[in-house]
Amino acid sequence: MIKINLCPIDELETPYWYLPDVIILVLVCLMSYYGVDFYFASIQEEINGAQEKIASLQASTNQLAPDLERFKSLDNDVKSLSDKLKSLQRITVSKMEKFTPIIAIEHIQNLKPQGLWYTEFSMKNAKSVEFSLKGIAFDNLMTAELLTSMRATAFNEIDPTDLRSQVFFDGLSLVESIITTPPPTTPEQAAEQLLTVPPSSFDIKGIIRERAVPVSQTPQQPALSIQTQADTLRYARRDTPP
């Protein structure tokens, strides 16, 4: 059998023909290694820079800690001052604000016509000027008379020595006026109802307002005397049935 050597001629001439390939492979591995090492070194530098920045910020925060504590206590100081201001406002509140509800009740009591009585007087809260007045009258004309008299308080002459002249009713409206008569059950009751005027209930809503006294008419001394206050409280507490 004839044997033929198919090996390239250059390989036959050079026994170390594989050295260039090995060198290239080694160079590629070295370049890859140094490239990866450079990449990791740059990442480590960024990490070190971030850590230094964090340390710097932490040091700045520690320096600002006393100031932050003062700012935290500032909220409590503001609340304390607000409470003190509210206390001062309660102490220095005007006489008109203190006596307006009582004066309004006195007006309502004095303006009540005969044959009409009240069942309820309410305000939203102690400082509210909106009110509701409910009651019963023998005739709708009495309800109209009361409503007219309450509206007339807006045109009364202001007396600087009397706080009661500075309080008036505004925005009055008659919400309802219902005749409260039960249906008759016998002919005698029906005949009796024809001869009598049934009572009617009413609900008046409005606003209590104050009129400012001109500066030229403002008195030097307080206007509401002790006797006037006593009379006002007596009228406010009195319950007069029809």
Side-chain angles (χ1 to χ4, degrees):
M1 176 181 290
I2 301 174
K3 295 183 179 180
I4 301 174
N5 190 354
L6 299 178
C7 181
I9 297 176
D10 53 351
E11 293 182 3
L12 293 175
E13 296 177 353
T14 306
Y16 302 103
W17 56 269
Y18 55 86
L19 286 178
D21 295 336
V22 172
I23 293 172
I24 293 174
L25 180 61
V26 170
L27 291 176
V28 170
C29 292
L30 290 174
M31 291 177 63
S32 300
Y33 171 77
Y34 285 112
V36 172
D37 184 68
F38 177 78
Y39 175 73
F40 280 111
S42 62
I43 293 178
Q44 186 63 39
E45 289 180 359
E46 293 180 359
I47 293 173
N48 294 335
Q51 290 177 347
E52 291 178 359
K53 187 179 293 185
I54 292 173
S56 176
L57 292 175
Q58 186 66 36
S60 301
T61 304
N62 294 335
Q63 292 178 357
L64 293 175
D67 297 333
L68 293 175
E69 290 296 331
R70 287 199 298 269
F71 279 113
K72 289 179 181 179
S73 63
L74 185 62
D75 188 21
N76 296 329
D77 296 339
V78 170
K79 290 181 179 179
S80 177
L81 289 175
S82 178
D83 294 338
K84 291 180 180 179
L85 287 175
K86 290 179 180 179
S87 300
L88 289 175
Q89 289 176 354
R90 287 194 295 266
I91 295 173
T92 60
V93 67
S94 65
K95 288 182 176 296
M96 287 298 298
E97 184 175 350
K98 290 190 295 185
F99 292 109
T100 293
I102 299 177
I103 295 174
I105 293 174
E106 180 182 359
H107 282 335
I108 292 172
Q109 178 64 27
N110 292 337
L111 297 175
K112 182 177 72 67
Q114 295 294 330
L116 181 147
W117 65 98
Y118 305 127
T119 59
E120 181 182 345
F121 177 77
S122 61
M123 302 174 68
K124 287 186 177 180
N125 51 62
K127 296 184 179 181
S128 176
V129 294
E130 298 180 1
F131 71 93
S132 172
L133 177 64
K134 297 181 181 180
I136 300 175
F138 286 135
D139 193 341
N140 284 332
L141 294 177
M142 298 177 184
T143 304
E145 180 182 351
L146 172 63
L147 196 60
T148 303
S149 300
M150 294 177 68
R151 286 174 176 166
T153 57
F155 306 101
N156 292 339
E157 184 178 355
I158 299 179
D159 184 0
T161 62
D162 190 356
L163 294 179
R164 291 173 292 185
S165 64
Q166 302 172 29
V167 178
F168 67 96
F169 301 105
D170 191 19
L172 296 173
S173 61
L174 183 62
V175 179
E176 62 179 5
S177 179
I178 304 173
I179 298 176
T180 57
T181 303
T185 57
T186 62
E188 291 77 8
Q189 291 182 355
E192 184 179 355
Q193 289 183 4
L194 291 175
L195 298 176
T196 59
V197 178
S200 60
S201 62
F202 60 87
D203 184 3
I204 298 175
K205 295 185 182 297
I207 302 174
I208 303 172
R209 296 193 185 277
E210 304 172 7
R211 287 185 291 187
V213 180
V215 178
S216 59
Q217 300 181 8
T218 304
Q220 298 297 327
Q221 299 297 330
L224 199 61
S225 63
I226 297 177
Q227 183 62 34
T228 302
Q229 296 181 21
D231 294 340
T232 302
L233 292 173
R234 188 177 72 253
Y235 278 118
R237 295 173 180 174
R238 187 173 63 184
D239 185 14
T240 307

